[in-house]
Amino acid sequence: MRKAGQTTQIHIKSNANDHTSSQYQQKVSSNNHGGPQLIQTPTLQDIKRFRFHQGTNLGGCYTLEQWLTPSMFLPGCQSSELAAVTASIEKDGVAATKSKWESHWQNFVQADDWSWLVNEAHCTTVRLPIGYFTLGPAFCQSTPFEAASQIYENAWQSVKSFINTANSCGVGVLLDFHALPGGANSRDHSGTNSGIAELWSNPSHLDLARRCLNFIATEIQSSGLANVVGLGLCNEADYNAPGLYAYYDSAIAIISHVDNTLPLYISDGWDLAAALGYANTKNTRSSTANPIVVDTHKYWAFTDADRAKSPQQIIQEVHVQLSELRGKEGSVCEHRCGQVVVGEYSCVLTEESWAKASQADRAGLAVAFGLAQSRQWQEKAGGSFFWTWKMDWMPGGKWGLVRQTQTGALAPPRNLLLSAVDVASRRQSALAQEAGRRVATVDAHCNYWDRNCPGQYFEHWRYEAGWKVGFADAVAFWQARARFGLPGTGGDRIGAVDLWCRKRIGESGMQGPYVWEFEHGLRAGLRDFSSLVGI
């Protein structure tokens, strides 16, 4: 057994006063039981993909919804994108409609909106819903959008422009495949008013969906869209949709051949436990396929059961959300690598719920509801995305990111509110205490296992090696804004901890029965840094 203070097999070469230039280097040993060690300092792409996503959706831009942007719908028009574009072509012709749609894409978010998003809302990431029609005329053939396909000739280029603008603002983009051929659900945000989820029973729709995902993944890589933090495979799949996980299997296989590092986000299909179980089978230590994130949506505004609850009851419910994670997260080595984001949530309750509270209490309860969600998602998830950022009727009421930020109902993680001076000061303090904390943590680990399992063989050097990597990683995320010149305040932290651990275990080259000690040490290093900087 190796004890604290003995030589570890993975070393991090760094200047104690400047972790910005830290290099993660290898000292290979026969005890490593594995392949080459590939751990390097986290890149800017790593930071954006794996940090906690303090996010918002941008609904109503590339996938229209009448209630968000009624200005894009003619009087008497049905509520879907197809209805809006068809009515516009019939009334004004192709050229005028194309101009109107392109103007909408270009002007929906202005420069001042970006500044506000970064500096006031402290958002790190935008979830951007797109449809198969957004990819251009080639993907509209033999679909209900075929007659309107010319309108979308420049849509994908507009999306790429949006991604690049977000990049200049230091904001990542999660591309959400929101409107799928035939619809993953029966609602109008799938692009039509068919009222049927036709995707799951139609092989041609499924084939087109997979071709769309292949195209998007290829474009992300070939166009250098490093600012894309992930790709959603579908939005709000129907509960118990037939063939859902077979579709995920095939999509993951296709995308992994293009880029197996791109995080893929799967709809939980309103069954988070099942989706987490599936993700556990994908996010294994040995898998070389894409990391899988489960996207769950949390609303209390649509069911009869929620209408029967008071605001106070709903706020209490928030505190126990994401309990499905128990037993399905926290250990890559034990096949419990489960990462969740809350892809949509709002501050909306039904009128029936509000009727159960006094008028005088409602404003305070609305804020309490938003704050309860903010805290719960920050504690349990790898990120959350409010629905939504923009609409014709700004600031958007309880659906609006702007209004709910103004009322104080949405609280960013406190680490994102720190000044640059405070971030630097806390970092320096943590580095000054690094050696002492490492010795104490490693000693505690060794003593615990040696005391409780006397005579049993361990490889505690792996724990110390993992701790060093974890601590250095936490430093790299914390100081990323200064290192890369990103706009906004605060220091970032890793949000997708399970997936980051999976990545680091793979890069460590370690194999064998004692890799769990490296993982435990890695997680401890992350925790210790967070403790030392006070988050």
Side-chain angles (χ1 to χ4, degrees):
M1 287 178 284
R2 294 188 179 269
K3 305 296 186 182
Q6 290 184 281
T7 304
T8 59
Q9 306 305 306
I10 293 181
H11 289 258
I12 301 168
K13 183 178 179 181
S14 63
N15 181 324
N17 295 317
D18 185 9
H19 274 55
T20 300
S21 60
S22 295
Q23 295 182 355
Y24 297 59
Q25 296 190 345
Q26 167 192 19
K27 185 175 180 181
V28 178
S29 161
S30 59
N31 287 334
N32 204 29
H33 301 303
Q37 190 272 119
L38 304 173
I39 291 176
Q40 299 292 327
T41 306
T43 65
L44 178 56
Q45 185 179 74
D46 289 333
I47 302 294
K48 288 185 175 180
R49 286 182 173 181
F50 292 92
R51 66 184 173 181
F52 181 84
H53 298 302
Q54 178 66 13
T56 184
N57 285 273
L58 185 65
C61 186
Y62 294 101
T63 55
L64 295 180
E65 297 187 39
Q66 189 176 43
W67 69 285
L68 291 175
T69 55
S71 62
M72 296 296 290
F73 291 76
L74 293 174
C77 185
Q78 287 187 292
S79 57
S80 67
E81 169 104 18
L82 180 63
V85 73
T86 301
S88 182
I89 290 172
E90 290 175 353
K91 179 179 181 294
D92 299 319
V94 170
T97 298
K98 186 177 182 182
S99 177
K100 180 179 180 179
W101 257 241
E102 291 180 354
S103 178
H104 174 68
W105 302 330
Q106 181 177 351
N107 298 314
F108 198 48
V109 179
Q110 300 289 316
D112 287 348
D113 296 319
W114 284 110
S115 177
W116 178 88
L117 188 75
V118 172
N119 297 307
E120 300 296 328
H122 302 282
C123 283
T124 64
T125 318
V126 172
R127 180 176 181 259
L128 184 66
I130 61 173
Y132 65 95
F133 41 84
T134 314
L135 306 182
F139 295 92
C140 297
Q141 302 309 305
S142 301
T143 78
F145 280 85
E146 182 170 9
S149 63
Q150 295 177 68
I151 307 305
Y152 301 96
E153 283 180 342
N154 300 314
W156 178 245
Q157 186 59 45
S158 175
V159 171
K160 293 199 290 186
S161 178
F162 179 94
I163 294 168
N164 289 329
T165 299
N167 186 49
S168 70
C169 298
V171 176
V173 176
L174 169 57
L175 285 175
D176 180 59
F177 195 20
H178 209 76
L180 282 76
N185 58 65
S186 61
R187 293 176 289 283
D188 56 7
H189 57 235
S190 290
T192 75
N193 290 106
S194 73
I196 306 171
E198 297 178 303
L199 171 68
W200 309 113
S201 60
N202 189 311
S204 64
H205 288 335
L206 287 165
D207 179 65
L208 177 55
R210 288 187 285 261
R211 287 193 287 117
C212 288
L213 291 169
N214 182 68
F215 172 82
I216 296 168
T218 302
E219 280 285 293
I220 291 169
Q221 188 175 67
S222 64
S223 298
L225 301 176
N227 196 47
V228 174
V229 304
L231 172 59
L233 303 188
C234 77
N235 172 66
E236 292 189 350
D238 271 352
Y239 177 76
N240 204 26
L244 174 63
Y245 291 103
Y247 166 69
Y248 289 159
D249 283 343
S250 60
I252 293 166
I254 289 168
I255 296 168
S256 67
H257 284 295
V258 178
D259 178 4
N260 66 352
T261 70
L262 177 66
L264 302 181
Y265 287 63
I266 62 170
S267 165
D268 68 355
W270 309 105
D271 188 344
L272 180 54
L276 280 168
Y278 174 81
N280 284 169
T281 69
K282 295 296 181 181
N283 291 330
T284 63
R285 187 173 120 197
S286 60
S287 173
T288 58
N290 303 70
I292 304 300
V293 183
V294 178
D295 176 0
T296 191
H297 296 177
K298 295 295 181 180
Y299 289 116
W300 282 266
F302 298 113
T303 69
D304 289 339
D306 288 333
R307 292 185 184 95
K309 299 167 188 171
S310 69
Q312 293 92 332
Q313 288 175 306
I314 290 171
I315 291 168
Q316 288 304 309
E317 266 193 25
V318 171
H319 298 310
V320 297
Q321 293 301 301
L322 307 185
S323 61
E324 295 90 344
L325 282 162
R326 294 191 195 111
K328 291 185 170 68
E329 66 166 348
S331 179
V332 177
C333 290
E334 295 178 354
H335 305 287
R336 291 188 284 109
C337 180
Q339 201 68 60
V340 169
V341 299
V342 179
E344 294 182 19
Y345 72 104
S346 78
C347 289
V348 176
L349 298 178
T350 66
E351 287 302 317
E352 291 88 343
S353 288
W354 284 121
K356 296 174 177 62
S358 70
Q359 191 68 42
D361 290 340
R362 291 183 185 182
L365 287 169
V367 171
F369 178 45
L371 291 178
Q373 291 187 86
S374 295
R375 292 169 184 142
Q376 188 72 359
W377 311 152
Q378 289 163 28
E379 180 182 347
K380 299 293 186 181
S384 61
F385 299 83
F386 190 84
W387 187 277
T388 184
W389 181 10
K390 296 280 290 182
M391 57 275 287
D392 284 354
W393 36 282
M394 296 293 290
K398 292 183 176 61
W399 287 107
L401 177 75
V402 173
R403 181 56 184 156
Q404 294 311 300
T405 300
Q406 291 170 343
T407 66
L410 300 179
R414 57 185 176 177
N415 53 288
L416 295 181
L417 301 177
L418 301 174
S419 69
V421 171
D422 202 0
V423 169
S425 173
R426 293 183 187 219
R427 167 183 167 274
Q428 285 301 111
S429 176
L431 294 180
Q433 301 174 73
E434 176 183 358
R437 180 60 71 93
R438 172 174 52 82
V439 170
T441 300
V442 175
D443 277 348
H445 170 83
C446 295
N447 291 336
Y448 173 85
W449 287 103
D450 294 345
R451 182 177 64 253
N452 286 281
C453 303
Q456 185 172 329
Y457 178 77
F458 292 103
E459 293 182 354
H460 293 325
W461 65 265
R462 295 182 189 269
Y463 184 88
E464 186 171 5
W467 191 97
K468 288 183 175 183
V469 172
F471 194 92
D473 286 343
V475 173
F477 275 74
W478 182 257
Q479 66 184 11
R481 292 172 189 267
R483 177 184 169 201
F484 295 107
L486 301 179
T489 60
D492 283 297
R493 66 174 176 88
I494 298 174
V497 174
D498 275 14
L499 292 180
W500 185 255
C501 288
R502 174 181 177 263
K503 173 179 164 68
R504 283 318 207 190
I505 290 168
E507 292 168 344
S508 75
M510 290 189 182
Q511 297 176 24
Y514 299 98
V515 179
W516 67 268
E517 292 206 64
F518 177 82
E519 181 180 2
H520 281 213
L522 177 64
R523 292 176 185 271
L526 296 174
R527 289 194 301 270
D528 280 350
F529 178 82
S530 292
S531 173
L532 291 174
V533 296
I535 61 170

